[in-house]
Amino acid sequence: MSPVSRGTSESRGEDRRLLRFEPHLPHAYETIWPALSTPDGLRGWLAEADVLERRLGGAVTLRRPDGGPTLSGQVTAWDVERVVEYTLAGLGRIRFHLEPVGTDSTVIRFFHEYGPNQRGPGLDRPGSEGPGPAGPGSPRPGSAGGRAVDAEYLAGWHRRFELLESALEGHPATPSARTDQRLAALRASYAPPAAAA
């Protein structure tokens, strides 16, 4: 498995955050597209797609395989074999843009845009509804608490892209792989530095 490059985060105004990854996978885009845009494909690395209307404006509902939180929304971009974007209540907007590199590899230009009152996917931790608090008093993007939320999301997406590559190699994720020690190590690597005393 090739390493997934580190994700980055940035502020998008006063109340939005944008996370980015650009994994370069040794697979043709025709192989990757179904993993991002079909219920069977998503099940192998991300979540169960209880509803997925594969068209612009279509409904989408994702949930953790062990029956965790359900996230509903719609398909907000759809360009067959090139771009799929889902906007989900509680998660924000996630976009996958495929760019072929030669005939046998692809870069996924991924971004996740979210606001301070979006609890997060809750797709990685059993019993979790997401990486941070919600509502009044939530960490503001760019604050120390907001950076901790970024770190949680970055670690989760990093692990998801590792699981995607594994699924493309014929090894779909098991529930234990979604909450394994690798995810704990990624959380530690993305954690913001402690404040100086």
Side-chain angles (χ1 to χ4, degrees), residues 2 10 21 25 30 33 49-50 61 63-64 66 69 71 76 80 83 88 99 114 145 153 158 175 178 180 188-189 197:
S2 66
E10 63 187 69
F21 279 91
L25 302 178
E30 300 94 342
W33 177 253
D50 292 336
T61 301
R63 71 174 162 80
R64 205 170 57 204
D66 66 356
L71 303 170
T76 47
V80 175
V83 176
L88 300 161
E99 291 186 11
Y114 69 95
Y153 275 127
H158 192 123
R178 298 171 197 269
D180 62 8
S189 79

Side-chain angles (χ1 to χ4, degrees), residues 32-39 41-42 45 52 54 78 81 84 86:
I32 296 173
W33 177 253
L36 305 175
S37 64
T38 67
L42 290 167
W45 70 282
L52 180 54
R54 301 177 65 223
W78 185 267
E81 294 187 345
V84 63
Y86 305 113

